[in-house]
Amino acid sequence: MTVKDFQAYMTVLASEQSLRRIVFRGGEPFLFYKTLKRCIEIAHRLGQKKIAVVTSGHWGGNQTNAQKKLLELKTAGLSSIWFSVDAFHQEFVPFHSVHTAINAARTIGFDEIVITSQFLGTVNARNTFNSRTEECLERLRLPEDFTIVRNPIVLEGRASHQLAKYLNSKPASLHEKCVLPSWAGETLKDPRTIEIDFEGNVSICPGLCIGNAKTESLSEIIRNYDYTKHPIMRLLAENGPHKLTEVANTTRNFNLREFVNECHMCYELRKQLRGCYPESLAPQSCYAE
């Protein structure tokens, strides 16, 4: 996202909404460090007190450089930093780097330092991935009162293709309703969170788009939100992902199979339907493997 686009979005949000928190995430925000720093400064100048970033900590190879970056960001207005630590991230990010980055953050001090870990299946499930994640958490040697957030991985994108095979599947007749994470408000009918990506897509849940801030007024997108007018959101909110099966069969002759859970089912059905609803099921990258 460009600084210019962020400033335009942030100006609208700060003037029209009571914002609880601004979160920068990716991908990896620190790959665009100067842009990240400038955007934090803009959010802070516009009155935001709770500003967070989610990072892999790949930039923490050198303690001095890590402290320098974090001190600059704290001065700019960053109040919270969330580190991703698990088997999936550590396949690509050296443990030493994230460990150093976490220690640098603890030395400088933030309002909130959190470790987030993704688990395959449930957080208590026994498998190779989860064992590696627990080993990483133990190696950090954090104080007992340190905040570690454990979440089951969501089977979307490449995770649906590569990780579902490690989990037990259920029949395609799953009938649970769609429930968003607690931070997003738990319901599509009255969500509390929006995401805006670099293309301008405004989403409630990854791949569920309610408008594009580059081509429409962000004020109107938020003000006019009505789940009943969204062709996919309405079915999910009122009936759950199993309702998409009927639409998929009507439009694409979808081949029913088994799914790990409702989120997995929802994603696979939406992927089949994207050609019919390209504006509502965006961006395209959410549905690419």
Side-chain angles (χ1 to χ4, degrees):
M1 185 180 293
T2 66
V3 172
K4 181 180 178 181
D5 282 343
F6 177 79
Q7 182 156 12
Y9 305 150
M10 193 67 236
T11 300
V12 170
L13 293 170
S15 62
E16 299 182 6
Q17 303 290 324
S18 177
L19 301 175
R20 177 169 169 258
R21 187 192 302 264
I22 301 293
V23 181
F24 295 95
R25 48 178 293 197
E28 174 52 58
F30 275 75
L31 290 175
F32 305 91
Y33 177 76
K34 291 182 179 179
T35 299
L36 173 65
K37 180 173 176 287
R38 183 74 186 106
C39 289
I40 290 172
E41 290 172 341
I42 291 170
H44 186 65
R45 190 179 70 242
L46 289 172
Q48 302 311 305
K49 303 300 182 185
K50 292 189 175 183
I51 304 173
V53 64
V54 182
T55 179
S56 69
H58 76 279
W59 40 270
N62 180 283
Q63 180 84 17
T64 302
N65 290 339
Q67 288 185 346
K68 180 176 181 294
K69 286 182 185 295
L70 291 179
L71 187 57
E72 288 178 347
L73 295 184
K74 184 178 181 181
T75 302
L78 186 68
S79 61
S80 303
I81 183 164
W82 292 49
F83 290 97
S84 300
V85 179
D86 51 47
F88 307 103
H89 286 84
Q90 265 49 76
E91 183 178 351
F92 304 98
V93 178
F95 179 82
H96 168 75
S97 295
V98 66
H99 193 192
T100 302
I102 292 170
N103 285 335
R106 294 173 64 191
T107 298
I108 291 173
F110 287 88
D111 293 350
E112 186 180 49
I113 302 173
V114 176
I115 308 299
T116 65
S117 300
Q118 305 298 317
F119 286 76
L120 187 61
T122 66
V123 296
N124 296 317
R126 293 184 178 183
N127 54 61
T128 302
F129 299 99
N130 294 354
S131 295
R132 291 176 188 165
T133 295
E134 290 294 356
E135 288 173 7
C136 289
L137 294 175
E138 289 179 11
R139 288 177 64 191
L140 290 177
R141 297 183 179 179
L142 297 169
E144 291 185 2
D145 60 349
F146 207 88
T147 302
I148 300 176
V149 178
R150 292 172 166 84
N151 290 313
I153 222 168
V154 178
L155 294 175
E156 296 184 348
R158 284 173 295 175
S160 175
H161 176 65
Q162 297 179 10
L163 298 177
K165 60 187 177 184
Y166 295 105
L167 299 170
N168 294 325
S169 298
K170 304 175 184 178
S173 57
L174 293 165
H175 280 69
E176 294 296 324
K177 290 190 176 181
C178 183
V179 178
L180 297 179
S182 58
W183 52 263
E186 298 184 349
T187 173
L188 291 169
K189 296 181 179 180
D190 185 25
R192 292 201 304 258
T193 300
I194 60 168
E195 294 184 349
I196 308 178
D197 68 20
F198 74 99
E199 294 177 329
N201 296 297
V202 183
S203 303
I204 301 300
C205 186
L208 280 176
C209 185
I210 61 173
N212 190 295
K214 284 183 177 286
T215 59
E216 309 167 61
S217 162
L218 180 57
S219 296
E220 292 184 6
I221 291 173
I222 297 174
R223 187 183 308 119
N224 296 333
Y225 175 75
D226 182 350
Y227 80 94
T228 64
K229 296 179 180 178
H230 192 286
I232 303 299
M233 211 91 73
R234 176 176 57 81
L235 297 176
L236 293 175
E238 295 180 351
N239 303 103
H242 71 276
K243 195 67 175 178
L244 296 182
T245 306
E246 298 176 12
V247 182
N249 282 330
T250 300
T251 59
R252 290 297 181 96
N253 192 28
F254 181 68
N255 183 25
L256 290 178
R257 60 188 181 89
E258 293 190 336
F259 303 96
V260 171
N261 54 31
E262 284 73 21
C263 285
H264 183 211
M265 180 182 189
C266 179
Y267 171 75
E268 290 293 346
L269 288 166
R270 285 189 279 122
K271 187 165 66 172
Q272 293 290 322
L273 291 169
R274 190 180 183 275
C276 302
Y277 305 95
E279 294 184 355
S280 299
L281 298 176
Q284 188 276 335
S285 58
C286 276
Y287 299 95
E289 293 180 354

